[in-house]
Amino acid sequence: MKLADTARQVLAPTYRQPDPILTRGEGCWVWDEDDNAYLDMTTGIAVTSLGHGAPVVREALIEAANGLTHTSNLYFTRPAIELATALVEHSFADRVFFCNSGTESVEGAIKFARLAAGDRRDIVYFDGAFHGRTFGALAATDREASRRPFEPLPGGFRRAPFDDDIALTMIDESVAAVMVEPLQGEGGVRVPRPEWLRALRTRCDEVGALLIADEIQCGLSRTGRLWAHEHADIQPDIMTLAKPLAGGLPMGAILLGPRVVDAISPGVHGSTFGGGPLVAKVALAVFHALRDPELLAGVQPRADLLRKALLEALGNDLIEVRGVGLLMGVALRLDHPGRAMARAAFEEGLLLAAASGNVLRILPPLNAPEADLLEAVDRLARTVRRLKG
């Protein structure tokens, strides 16, 4: 029996994986058990932003393994303190809460927002939003197929149109917080107008609502700025982080501004594993690498190269290339959903992530070699030709 068949017998069938078993990686490349190479333009869905086998991650992990692995949050540990200090120093935040994943950071952000908002309870989210799969995060996620099997979901959530001024009229004095992705990923790589995000910030201030920026996928340098909301020249009250934060180890964080911190007291929220010393030490090394000026300066030139190559290689088969920095969406004129196109690309040795509709996401390492980016475009072009027959 193939190992993939065993996997389908013992793992919960919540995903549709191809047969090859991936075993190792370096940079933009991964290999399976038969030593077949695949060009990875997903980075684990925007997680391994420094590439597979990044020396900074490996060295930090080895060093961390020689220290404490776990103590719980009943006690302070140096790595968590140092990581929180770095996040505060390089953001709007006064305090940080650590957890284990993106959806947990959203759950915590909802709790903290309602805590700080007093009697207000409503959370506004937007069409196309994806904030996670736990109950609170799912209640703020605009994906009917994901929501329907689990209804009734928690109440107090309002959906508003994304990048539409009508949304501003839906934010009133009953709203505790507005939760927005400064750049939607799962929803089809949709980029809102900066002036709309600024208007959203202003409207929240007018009615006393908090602004939550979900930067789980778009944050930590993926757009060429450390934080995606910086492109609109705004500051949120709460920000959720996860995916690339610990270079592939599970970690989330909630960054909290002063309006929120004042409402928090011991016992209102917790996490046994959040910010553990091993993962926090790795995350600190990753964070310093991701905010390196040289790395940040290289994101947009790589994005420009990739965009130009896509336009040239795909021609009339391309509807548009959208996104900011190296969170890029490719909408194609093919009668196939994104998941089917991603499966076809896998057969060409190219790993891509599907998004909403007919959009494929390209999420390379932020330090990807130009040759690998161009090779990815060639493989995608071959995939398109094959799908067209």
Side-chain angles (χ1 to χ4, degrees), residues 165-370:
D165 291 343
I166 293 173
L168 304 176
T169 67
M170 300 173 66
I171 303 168
D172 56 28
E173 284 78 6
S174 67
V175 171
V178 175
M179 185 155 51
V180 65
E181 297 158 275
L183 167 57
Q184 287 189 346
E186 297 278 345
V189 190
R190 300 166 73 198
V191 184
R193 293 166 295 143
E195 57 267 28
W196 181 74
L197 288 174
R198 289 193 287 271
L200 207 60
R201 173 72 273 182
T202 299
R203 183 58 180 163
C204 286
D205 291 339
E206 289 172 349
V207 302
L210 299 166
L211 182 63
I212 303 172
D214 181 342
E215 298 217 9
I216 291 166
Q217 184 168 160
C218 64
L220 286 162
S221 304
R222 181 141 296 271
T223 64
R225 304 287 292 272
L226 183 58
W227 311 121
H229 65 260
E230 292 180 302
H231 293 279
D233 194 26
I234 61 170
Q235 288 189 345
D237 300 292
I238 301 173
M239 181 165 63
T240 59
L241 301 176
K243 291 185 181 296
L245 181 56
L249 299 182
M251 188 176 210
I254 310 168
L255 274 60
L256 305 164
R259 285 186 58 195
V260 185
V261 171
D262 291 344
I264 296 174
S265 59
V268 299
H269 196 46
S271 172
T272 298
F273 295 103
L278 186 145
V279 71
K281 191 170 187 64
V282 175
L284 180 63
V286 170
F287 181 68
H288 287 319
L290 288 175
R291 69 176 185 83
D292 179 75
E294 185 176 346
L295 181 85
L296 283 164
V299 170
Q300 194 55 49
R302 286 175 171 82
D304 292 341
L305 173 80
L306 187 54
R307 184 181 297 268
K308 182 175 184 292
L310 287 164
L311 292 169
E312 292 175 353
L314 299 177
N316 291 332
D317 295 316
L318 183 66
I319 298 173
E320 66 173 328
V321 179
R322 53 187 185 241
V324 181
L326 290 172
L327 202 174
M328 196 167 289
V330 179
L332 294 164
R333 300 183 195 279
L334 297 179
D335 190 21
H336 299 278
R339 285 188 178 86
M341 293 189 287
R343 287 195 296 271
F346 184 85
E347 295 174 8
E348 293 289 343
L350 175 64
L351 309 189
L352 296 174
S356 178
N358 63 339
V359 178
L360 290 169
R361 273 173 295 169
I362 301 180
L363 303 161
L366 304 185
N367 54 2
E370 292 184 0

Side-chain angles (χ1 to χ4, degrees), residues 101-180:
S101 67
T103 195
E104 287 179 66
S105 70
V106 171
E107 293 285 341
I110 293 168
K111 289 178 68 177
F112 286 136
R114 284 182 170 173
L115 188 68
D119 293 335
R120 301 183 184 208
R121 283 293 178 264
D122 285 2
I123 307 291
V124 173
Y125 69 100
F126 297 96
D127 57 36
F130 185 92
H131 295 294
R133 295 181 182 273
T134 49
F135 265 71
L138 189 57
T141 288
D142 183 26
R143 182 179 287 183
E144 185 62 26
S146 298
R147 295 165 57 97
R148 191 183 306 114
F150 306 105
E151 292 174 342
L153 296 171
F157 291 83
R158 307 182 194 174
R159 187 181 67 180
F162 184 69
D163 196 20
D164 190 320
D165 291 343
I166 293 173
L168 304 176
T169 67
M170 300 173 66
I171 303 168
D172 56 28
E173 284 78 6
S174 67
V175 171
V178 175
M179 185 155 51
V180 65

